[in-house]
Amino acid sequence: MSHAAATDDLEGTDRPVLIACSHGTDNPQGQAVISHLVGQVRELLPDVEVLETYVDVQYPQVDEVVNCVAAGRAVVVVPLLLSGGFHVNVDIASAVAFRASTGSPTVAAAPLGPDPRLASILVDRLDAAGALPGDAVVVAAAGSSDAAAAVDVEQVAAEVAASWEGPVSVGYAASAAPRVAVATDLARSELGGPEHGRVALATYLLAPGFFTKRLAEAGADLMAEPIGAHPLVAQIIVDRFTEALALLPTPVDS
């Protein structure tokens, strides 16, 4: 079902609200990327109210925004996060559960990843950064203490590997192993040394921020730009919203 078909029968204030929840950053460029991405979603869903919120650093945060929606009106929180983890399973889940407990239809959509479209964006970013066939690629993610998040990242890395002519591995900026610097060293060693190829980081982050600084210090030969406000990301957000409409506990009719 298309997003248009899923929402055509919902009018005005009866339509579910899409709450786009990102991590939050104090990096102005990162803030601009997320705001642009949310703007793309608004263009794709012109009849849906789209609110922007965060789990950390920036305000307003998700619990406040979820609870500011009029009682009884349906809410779908879409994590603008690339994998599951603490922010999805605790921060967003808690805000959703609290509002749902009051009787207001409230659900969380799945995070953006894993998704084959994200892998295709990573390959595009690698090409734009000058990576060449034969270069080793480290898919560099933020990292989470939640093992399920690592499974999500590994699935995307496997999809990158399916279309990349060279070895592909995974590294994390924090909270999981191997760290990106270690993964970079291992990738270079497996190539047989720097004379046999370069190591490129596929930056599996949505926007510039704290972790991009860490990745830049990992010792790779080149580093691709984050995924950013790519039109495919906005479409994934719309798809997650559409999928989550079916999870609402009761139909929302005009």
Side-chain angles (χ1 to χ4, degrees):
M1 180 187 297
S2 71
H3 68 264
T7 58
D8 274 349
D9 60 338
L10 304 173
E11 297 181 355
T13 57
D14 288 332
R15 291 179 182 274
V17 177
L18 189 165
I19 296 180
C21 182
S22 64
H23 182 277
T25 178
D26 58 7
N27 182 299
Q29 185 181 359
Q31 293 173 1
V33 166
I34 297 300
S35 292
H36 182 63
L37 182 58
V38 174
Q40 289 178 318
V41 173
R42 291 190 176 112
E43 291 178 1
L44 290 171
L45 296 173
D47 297 321
V48 173
E49 183 176 4
V50 179
L51 304 178
E52 186 174 352
T53 187
Y54 318 92
V55 292
D56 199 4
V57 185
Q58 288 180 258
Y59 294 90
Q61 295 194 350
V62 62
D63 52 348
E64 178 185 352
V65 173
V66 165
N67 290 311
C68 82
V69 178
R73 190 173 179 193
V75 164
V76 175
V77 181
V78 181
L80 272 55
L81 300 165
L82 296 174
S83 58
F86 183 86
H87 293 307
V88 170
N89 298 327
V90 177
D91 293 328
I92 292 174
S94 296
V96 166
F98 180 81
R99 187 172 190 269
S101 72
T102 69
S104 294
T106 314
V107 297
L112 304 183
D115 190 291
R117 290 169 288 186
L118 295 173
S120 73
I121 296 169
L122 288 176
V123 172
D124 287 347
R125 295 288 189 255
L126 286 166
D127 289 340
L132 299 172
D135 288 343
V137 168
V138 176
V139 176
S144 171
S145 57
D146 187 329
V151 172
D152 291 347
V153 175
E154 288 163 6
Q155 182 173 330
V156 171
E159 290 160 350
V160 171
S163 60
W164 186 257
E165 295 182 30
V168 176
S169 57
V170 174
Y172 300 96
S175 302
R179 295 298 172 87
V180 175
V182 173
T184 297
D185 288 344
L186 287 171
R188 185 170 285 119
S189 176
E190 288 172 6
L191 284 172
E195 66 275 14
H196 296 290
R198 302 175 301 172
V199 178
L201 296 188
T203 305
Y204 193 48
L205 301 170
L206 204 53
F210 175 76
F211 287 129
T212 52
K213 296 176 183 177
R214 286 197 174 182
L215 300 190
E217 298 167 354
D221 297 293
L222 58 93
M223 174 177 160
E225 292 295 321
I227 287 170
H230 192 287
L232 284 178
V233 180
Q235 186 59 58
I236 294 170
I237 295 168
V238 170
D239 291 347
R240 296 293 183 263
F241 173 71
T242 302
E243 294 157 6
L245 292 177
L247 304 177
L248 288 167
T250 55
V252 181
D253 299 316
S254 56

